[in-house]
Amino acid sequence: MTRPTRTRPGRWRLGLGASAFLLATALVPAPAHAAEVTDYAITVDPAARGATIDPSLYGVFFEDINRAADGGLYAELMQNRSFEYTTADNTTYTPLTAWQVTGVAQVLNDPGRLNDRNRNYLALGAGSAVTNAGYNTGVRVEQGKTYDFSVWVRAARRTGLTVSLADAGGTLGAAREITARGGWTRYRATFTAERTSSTGRLTVSADDAVALDEVSLFPRDTYRHQSNGLRKDLAEKIAALHPGFVRFPGGCLVNTGSMADYSESSGWQRKRSYQWKDTIGPVEQRATNANFWGYNQSYGLGYYEYFRLAEDIGAMPLPVVPALVTGCGQNKAVDDDALLKRHIQDTLDLIEFANGPATSTWGRKRAAMGHPKPFHLTHIEVGNEENLPSEFFARFTQFRTAIAAAYPDVTVISNSGPDDEGSTFDTAWRLNREAGVDMVDEHYYNSPQWFLKNNDRYDSYDRAGPKVFLGEYASQGNAFKNGLAEAAFMTGLERNADIVELASYAPLFANEDYVQWRPDLVWFNNHASWNSANYEVQKLFMTNVGDRVVPSTATATPALTAPIGGAVGLSTWNTSAAYDDVQVTDADGNTLLSDDFSGDASRWTPSGTGDWSIQDGQYTQGSTTAENTMVSAGDPGWHDYDLRVRATKRSGKEGFLIAFGVQDTGNYYWWNLGGWNNTQSAVEQSVDGAKSTLLSKAGTIDTGRAYAIDIKVRGRQVTLYLDGQEWGSFTDDRPAEPFRQVVTHDRKTGDLIVKVVNAQDADARTAIDLGGARVASTARATTLRAAPDAVNTETATAVAPVTATVRGIASRFTYTFPAHSVTFLRIRQR
């Protein structure tokens, strides 16, 4: 077909007469003004065969972060049910956190305990009571539904217990009487809720002195299997995605803390990496642990439950095991050969637990838990974004060798560290390629701008391997603009399905009252859950994948040519630093700014926090806790200039930040020297407050040393010098392409699926050429459309799919894709 003719930047004129196309009935009215329309073209080649798409391409990653397990997917309504909370979990915790005592009660850790792995229990005095507050606002019950109570009791003599469920408005269910006697015994009772409440409290009172442990209240209405204990609405949201895999349990849970076991020999180590053997068997015998994210893990939701969930939703289980190199800021290689061998054997035992016959050692344990048949584990990941690539790979190789010898059909996945580029990334990828690793896990959390710019990230990857597992990614927010940027990026994942075999957004869940990380896919509290805009994007892609890519091309935005422009700035992050001799000169050497701070700092405008003052002829920021202390000077219209400054770290965790191209408080570039706890330096770009990394290298900044910094900005190219030596350079000329597309074929239905993201303010009138394909005259269009800043909440769903029938489909037709939209056209081939 005839290509569109360029008329002016951002606008295109179709080079075909109107009669050459059939106008599709769009989901929105035609735009009222021509200026609101941008014209594009998509050309599809149905005769060419694109990459085959792995049926498990899109999955989910479940990590116990933001109270995703206890107080979330794990349906237990009691918080701290076994009195195991300690300051190792959170400095504010005590063994009675979430409990209120009436009378006399004491938590004990002595030989009278329920079992060695359940260290604490509650000694409750005669005539005393304890009340549990649950999660969020309290214990959630729904009228007419059944709840199962249980408790382990040790009583020296025959003792009566009363169990009641109530809120401020009165009784929620008739009280239950239990008679206990003798050694540790589990007692049960059942409640039927008389009213719906989200503020309930459960109270256990005793006539005589008793010992209590594992106080539990569970809804009987859970997902699929009552024995699984999964909160129904949250599990259903996972199932509705139809994910190809479930990655678990982490994340930072896997590669942080001690690698020791939970035993007397380790001192009952409470800050351990997530180790699968701690999480199976009867719940009262599972070892509790301190969660890296600042709370306690009961492990009521453990490996067996993860495997059952994956099986129930038809997904591939993909567990992650420790590699004995810590990450997530800890960055330590464990040098203990015996411990390494134990973890390798634990990994082999895990595969046997999943796949072994019921007559095998670990298969027998699986069968005893209620699942005689194997779980059919095919993939396992060793390690999680370790920042010490050589140390990690030396240990990974031993895991891989052992697994390959015992289970040659299991794919062993490596990783490339915590970032999308940089020295760690490059070294990890080199080691993985040289060793012929099957698959490498990449992780990155970047700005929407980064995702719009990097749709072609995998176009240039080596087709000979290894494959890519994009195990964690997200843009920095839950607004629809974030979902749009991720959708644009996902079209590139599909186009490169021969490289990208698996991909999962992260994290999955967040309890709105216990948040350690944003953004998240699904939000919830103790009584409701709701889908983020990002979830709706993921669901649209995950339920409309197709079997293979149909090659296609589309109009693209030209490269950026306007020079990088803006003022200059100084900042710090958890660090005190001093600056001196700031010089800004234009390309001809003319002075734009000169400040030796011999007078005042009136030229500088604060836009952040911090404690700035003139001290000894230097501009000094004194706080070591303030995070962004930006002060700026100059003209936002400056371009093609040199910025020179002397910087000295005085104290604190990091180095210093030198900004250029400063437009306002949310839009700038800065050279982050000694960032990430003084482990690396990078150039970051902030767009509307969301940052992405353009260039990074390992390195530290010394305290007390004055560094000479020189930044040369020429057009779109920037060169950076540290103490007179070139540190690095980059050219930022890639546009944040707002219009992205991919076409796939669904073998089951015969459909061509045209997937288009229009992330701009203007509607996109698009000429679509299906390359002579014979197609039905109607198509099904599913569209996500909303304002860029729209956010789904518990009470409002601003971003939701709309499906309609589109008429006028032919081998060549036009379609107007609304501004700020994701649209999937399912076109039936004849």
Side-chain angles (χ1 to χ4, degrees):
M1 66 177 280
T2 304
R3 298 291 292 173
T5 302
R6 180 80 180 273
T7 56
R8 61 185 187 277
R11 296 288 179 260
W12 298 83
R13 176 172 54 82
L14 290 177
L16 291 174
S19 62
F21 297 104
L22 295 174
L23 181 63
T25 303
L27 300 180
V28 295
H33 306 288
E36 296 174 355
V37 179
T38 301
D39 291 337
Y40 288 88
I42 297 173
T43 304
V44 183
D45 186 356
R49 189 165 187 84
T52 299
I53 301 173
D54 191 288
S56 299
L57 172 60
Y58 294 123
V60 295
F61 166 46
F62 181 94
E63 179 176 8
D64 187 1
I65 184 173
N66 309 313
R67 284 275 186 198
D70 296 333
L73 184 61
Y74 186 50
E76 172 66 72
L77 297 174
M78 298 290 95
Q79 184 179 176
N80 190 19
R81 67 183 177 189
S82 59
F83 311 101
E84 295 289 336
Y85 278 25
T86 76
T87 53
D89 307 323
N90 188 294
T91 56
T92 66
Y93 281 1
T94 75
L96 283 170
T97 293
W99 292 94
Q100 181 179 351
V101 175
T102 302
V104 178
Q106 183 180 8
V107 175
L108 301 178
N109 179 350
D110 63 26
R113 64 179 65 88
L114 178 60
N115 60 67
D116 280 347
R117 293 168 71 78
N118 193 331
R119 307 295 292 168
N120 291 350
Y121 66 95
L122 182 73
L124 188 63
S128 299
V130 285
T131 299
N132 193 273
Y135 295 95
N136 299 94
T137 55
V139 178
R140 166 69 175 185
V141 295
E142 296 182 46
Q143 183 175 4
K145 291 194 173 181
T146 301
Y147 298 83
D148 293 318
F149 169 83
S150 68
V151 60
W152 286 82
V153 183
R154 191 192 71 212
R157 61 178 67 86
R158 184 183 180 90
T159 301
L161 298 176
T162 301
V163 185
S164 56
L165 187 60
D167 63 7
T171 299
L172 294 171
R176 296 291 183 256
E177 303 294 331
I178 293 172
T179 301
R181 183 177 183 179
W184 284 109
T185 305
R186 189 181 187 190
Y187 298 90
R188 295 178 172 84
T190 300
F191 287 92
T192 299
E194 298 172 358
R195 292 185 292 111
T196 293
S197 176
S198 297
T199 58
R201 300 289 188 271
L202 183 135
T203 300
V204 180
S205 58
D207 295 340
D208 209 338
V210 293
L212 306 179
D213 207 344
E214 289 288 323
V215 183
S216 173
L217 184 68
F218 237 94
R220 188 169 292 179
D221 185 19
T222 55
Y223 182 71
R224 294 290 294 270
H225 308 283
Q226 188 180 357
S227 61
N228 243 20
L230 301 185
R231 178 170 151 174
K232 191 172 183 179
D233 62 325
L234 296 183
E236 286 176 343
K237 288 189 181 300
I238 302 175
L241 294 170
H242 298 287
F245 65 88
V246 179
R247 177 178 183 252
F248 62 89
C252 289
L253 302 187
V254 168
N255 67 339
T256 54
S258 169
M259 299 294 164
D261 63 1
Y262 192 59
S263 66
E264 185 175 5
S265 63
S266 73
W268 305 104
Q269 177 59 248
R270 284 297 298 271
K271 290 189 173 183
R272 309 183 309 284
S273 63
Y274 195 111
Q275 300 175 42
W276 78 273
K277 289 180 180 178
D278 289 342
T279 76
I280 65 168
V283 292
E284 68 275 6
Q285 296 176 18
R286 299 184 186 184
T288 193
N289 200 8
N291 185 303
F292 172 80
W293 297 109
Y295 52 92
N296 178 270
Q297 300 172 92
S298 74
Y299 286 150
L301 177 58
Y303 258 74
Y304 177 78
E305 291 76 22
Y306 287 128
F307 278 124
R308 287 294 294 269
L309 171 64
E311 181 180 68
D312 286 345
I313 63 178
M316 176 180 78
L318 204 166
V320 187
V321 297
L324 273 72
V325 178
T326 58
C328 301
Q330 297 183 359
N331 300 336
K332 178 182 177 182
V334 179
D335 189 13
D336 185 331
D337 191 58
L339 187 58
L340 176 62
K341 285 182 169 60
R342 193 267 287 176
H343 275 267
I344 291 172
Q345 186 59 52
D346 282 354
T347 302
L348 297 175
D349 293 343
L350 170 59
I351 299 173
E352 183 178 288
F353 177 79
N355 293 351
T359 55
S360 65
T361 300
W362 289 97
R364 186 178 298 112
K365 292 182 183 294
R366 180 195 67 239
M369 294 184 72
H371 202 282
K373 294 182 179 179
F375 284 118
H376 305 296
L377 175 67
T378 60
H379 292 64
I380 193 165
E381 184 172 355
V382 177
N384 171 75
E385 59 182 54
E386 283 73 25
N387 206 28
L388 301 173
S390 297
E391 292 87 341
F392 159 74
F393 203 77
R395 290 155 180 79
F396 169 82
T397 299
Q398 296 186 56
F399 278 86
R400 183 190 182 203
T401 299
I403 295 169
Y407 300 100
D409 294 333
V410 172
T411 298
V412 185
I413 303 172
S414 180
N415 75 79
S416 60
D419 300 306
D420 61 276
E421 54 87 49
S423 57
T424 295
F425 179 88
D426 292 340
T427 300
W429 259 106
R430 176 179 57 79
L431 293 169
N432 285 309
R433 286 195 185 96
E434 290 172 353
V437 169
D438 291 324
M439 189 177 294
V440 177
D441 187 3
E442 293 189 354
H443 295 176
Y444 38 82
Y445 298 91
N446 287 321
S447 68
Q449 191 89 347
W450 185 94
F451 283 96
L452 291 174
K453 285 184 174 183
N454 285 276
N455 173 275
D456 62 350
R457 175 178 176 87
Y458 297 107
D459 290 3
S460 58
Y461 272 50
D462 187 350
R463 268 39 210 174
K467 301 291 188 184
V468 171
F469 172 25
L470 181 50
E472 297 184 32
Y473 74 97
S475 70
Q476 297 158 348
N478 276 142
F480 187 49
K481 63 185 177 184
N482 300 98
L484 282 171
E486 290 153 6
F489 189 74
M490 292 169 78
T491 66
L493 300 183
E494 293 193 6
R495 189 178 64 253
N496 288 284
D498 57 330
I499 289 293
V500 183
E501 198 163 292
L502 305 171
S504 50
Y505 179 102
L508 178 59
F509 285 127
N511 186 319
E512 67 173 351
D513 291 333
Y514 308 92
V515 181
Q516 293 86 43
W517 185 276
R518 299 173 187 268
D520 304 284
L521 206 60
V522 175
W523 291 80
F524 66 92
N525 50 38
N526 66 351
H527 62 273
S529 58
W530 55 99
N531 304 332
S532 67
N534 318 67
Y535 175 98
E536 295 298 346
V537 166
Q538 292 290 322
K539 184 178 180 181
L540 189 56
F541 275 85
M542 293 168 80
T543 55
N544 293 278
V545 180
D547 304 289
R548 67 174 176 87
V549 177
V550 181
S552 60
T553 58
T555 303
T557 299
L560 299 173
T561 57
I564 292 173
V568 298
L570 309 171
S571 188
T572 60
W573 200 286
N574 290 329
T575 304
S576 173
Y579 298 95
D580 202 358
D581 298 327
V582 177
Q583 296 284 334
V584 182
T585 55
D586 66 20
D588 296 324
N590 300 310
T591 299
L592 301 176
L593 173 69
S594 179
D595 200 337
D596 63 3
F597 302 108
S598 56
D600 58 27
S602 58
R603 302 182 189 182
W604 298 86
T605 302
S607 60
T609 58
D611 180 17
W612 288 94
S613 63
I614 301 290
Q615 296 183 19
D616 301 322
Q618 296 180 318
Y619 198 20
T620 300
Q621 196 291 114
S623 172
T624 57
T625 58
E627 290 194 333
N628 184 359
T629 65
M630 176 87 80
V631 292
S632 60
D635 189 335
W638 283 352
H639 60 85
D640 295 295
Y641 59 75
D642 290 2
L643 165 62
R644 299 180 185 88
V645 61
R646 295 182 65 82
T648 304
K649 173 182 176 180
R650 300 176 65 198
S651 61
K653 296 181 179 180
E654 304 204 343
F656 25 80
L657 300 136
I658 313 299
F660 56 97
V662 179
Q663 292 296 320
D664 52 45
T665 57
N667 295 276
Y668 54 84
Y669 301 80
W670 67 19
W671 189 4
N672 185 347
L673 288 148
W676 296 271
N677 289 320
N678 206 14
T679 61
Q680 62 179 309
S681 298
V683 177
E684 298 177 279
Q685 181 183 17
S686 175
V687 177
D688 296 333
K691 295 186 186 69
S692 56
T693 301
L694 304 180
L695 180 66
S696 72
K697 294 182 180 181
T700 61
I701 292 296
D702 297 331
T703 301
R705 174 183 164 189
Y707 290 84
I709 295 163
D710 184 0
I711 302 173
K712 295 184 181 297
V713 182
R714 295 292 184 273
R716 305 294 305 179
Q717 183 173 350
V718 178
T719 308
L720 307 107
Y721 298 86
L722 187 62
D723 287 336
Q725 301 296 315
E726 184 174 332
W727 178 87
S729 65
F730 67 93
T731 302
D732 182 26
D733 62 354
R734 181 180 297 179
E737 175 62 66
F739 186 86
R740 295 291 190 184
Q741 61 82 36
V742 70
V743 180
T744 64
H745 176 261
D746 187 337
R747 183 176 61 249
K748 184 176 180 180
T749 63
D751 291 350
L752 288 175
I753 313 174
V754 180
K755 311 174 187 184
V756 177
V757 181
N758 183 22
Q760 61 189 326
D761 294 334
D763 293 347
R765 184 174 57 216
T766 306
I768 301 175
D769 185 343
L770 299 179
R774 298 182 62 207
V775 296
S777 61
T778 60
R780 187 171 84 247
T782 303
T783 301
L784 292 171
R785 184 190 184 192
D789 292 326
V791 176
N792 288 347
T793 67
E794 179 183 352
T795 57
T797 307
V799 182
V802 175
T803 300
T805 298
V806 176
R807 305 185 185 281
I809 302 298
S811 181
R812 297 198 302 180
F813 66 101
T814 61
Y815 190 89
T816 298
F817 296 96
H820 307 299
S821 69
V822 184
T823 305
F824 280 28
L825 295 173
R826 273 190 168 267
I827 302 171
R828 181 67 53 87
Q829 293 189 95
R830 290 178 175 173

